[in-house]
Structure formats: C-alpha cells, structure tokens
Amino acid sequence: MERSLVLVKPDAMRRGLAGVIISRLEQRGLKIVAMKMLRMDRALAERHYAVHRGKAFFDGLVEYITSGPIIAAVFEGERAIEAIRQTMGATDPLKAAPGSIRGDFGLNIQENLVHGSDSPESAEREISLFFSPQELVGWEK
Ligand code: IDP
Ligand code: MG
C-alpha cells in the first residue's frame, strides 16, 4: 500500500472541478485517508515546491498555488503514486493523454489543475507538510 499527497490546485477550485478530480481518483480505486480545504501561504508553498527553487517558473508557481483555496488530500492504494500520476496526466496538459485529468481539462503548463507526489520519499515529505499523523484516518476496523 502506498500513500500520496494530492492537491486540487486553485484553478481547478475556481472552475468547480474539485468534485470531478476527487471522483476520478475514487473511481480509480484509491481511498481517501485525509482531506482538508485551505489556502497555502508563501512559506508552505516554498517548502512544498522546494525542489523547484531557482527554476524560471518558481516565483510564478508560488504566486499561482497561493492565489486561492485548494483541497489537500491523502489517497491510499496499491501503487497509488504511479496510479495517481497516470490519472493526472503529464505536467504539460498538451502532452497529457486524453482521458487523464490534465488531458481532459487543461491547456496551461502552470495552471494544470492537480498535484500528486512523484515518489514514496516525496509523498512522505509532502504529506507531513499538510497533515499530522493523527489526521490520517484508518479504514480497517
Ligand atoms: P508535476 O506537477 O507534474 O509533478 P513538476 O515538474 O513537479 O510537475 O512542476 C510542479 C508544477 O510547477 C507543475 O505542476 C506546474 O504547475 C508548474 N510548472 C512546471 N513546469 C512549468 C513550466 O515550464 N512553466 C510554468 N509552470 C511550470
Ligand atoms: Mg512534481
């Protein structure tokens, strides 16, 4: 079992696509183990995207991700990280497969609707930025 941090980004929230995005991940067979709505501040955005610091798109990315409310969620499932990345589609929506979230709803490489962790190490680090261990809800009896 793997866990991944998913963010419904501000553009998706503004466009009323939160339900569709969450629904597609649920339909894929992934289980929600944590969820909250929040607005990221600059400090959280810079930590979450620390790996991109120094890149040309970093400042714009921080502006964008802090531009409105988001939904942060943890999804769990077998090979969840890869399954979520596939369900999201490639970073550039024009390169994302039709049928993927970005391929179906996106055009812009920055405003690309959704975030999903890219490795188990990233997932662990990212989940801990948004959730305390107590906020991860178990499904087993
Ligand atoms: P990912 O979200 O598919 O993992 P990353 O390369 O980790 O893609 O980039 C993080 C986010 O930064 C992207 O989802 C997108 O919002 C933004 N981004 C990535 N590359 C570019 C770019 O070339 N121009 C503008 N924004 C970008
Ligand atoms: Mg990434």
Side-chain angles (χ1 to χ4, degrees), residues 1 4 24 28 30-31 37-38 42 47 52-53 66 87 94-95 103 106-107 111 137:
M1 278 297 178
S4 179
R24 285 190 177 204
R28 191 78 202 260
L30 299 155
K31 277 197 149 64
M37 181 169 163
L38 72 148
R42 177 165 289 271
R47 287 181 74 191
H52 297 304
R53 186 185 286 280
T66 59
T87 304
L94 294 189
K95 299 198 176 87
L107 281 176
E111 301 203 345
V137 181

Side-chain angles (χ1 to χ4, degrees), residues 117-139:
S117 307
D118 65 6
S119 68
E121 297 71 33
S122 302
E124 191 179 334
R125 187 185 72 80
E126 293 171 2
I127 289 168
S128 73
L129 289 177
F130 288 84
F131 295 99
S132 66
Q134 295 82 353
E135 289 178 297
L136 305 178
V137 181
W139 282 75

Side-chain angles (χ1 to χ4, degrees), residues 9 49 52 57 61 64 85 88 90-91 102 109-112 114-116:
K9 291 177 169 183
Y49 282 126
H52 297 304
F57 63 80
L61 175 58
Y64 155 58
R85 298 285 297 186
M88 286 164 45
T91 305
R102 288 163 169 172
I109 192 168
Q110 177 179 267
E111 301 203 345
N112 60 2
V114 62
H115 168 86

Side-chain angles (χ1 to χ4, degrees), residues 4-9 12 17-35 71-89 99-102 105 113-117 139:
S4 179
L5 180 81
V6 170
L7 303 179
V8 179
K9 291 177 169 183
L17 294 172
V20 169
I21 290 169
I22 292 161
S23 184
R24 285 190 177 204
L25 296 170
E26 284 187 299
Q27 287 171 344
R28 191 78 202 260
L30 299 155
K31 277 197 149 64
I32 300 165
V33 297
M35 183 170 284
I71 288 173
V74 178
F75 279 84
E76 182 180 83
E78 207 176 304
R79 298 192 291 166
I81 291 165
E82 198 182 338
I84 290 168
R85 298 285 297 186
Q86 185 187 50
T87 304
M88 286 164 45
S100 68
I101 293 166
R102 288 163 169 172
F105 300 112
L113 302 144
V114 62
H115 168 86
S117 307
W139 282 75

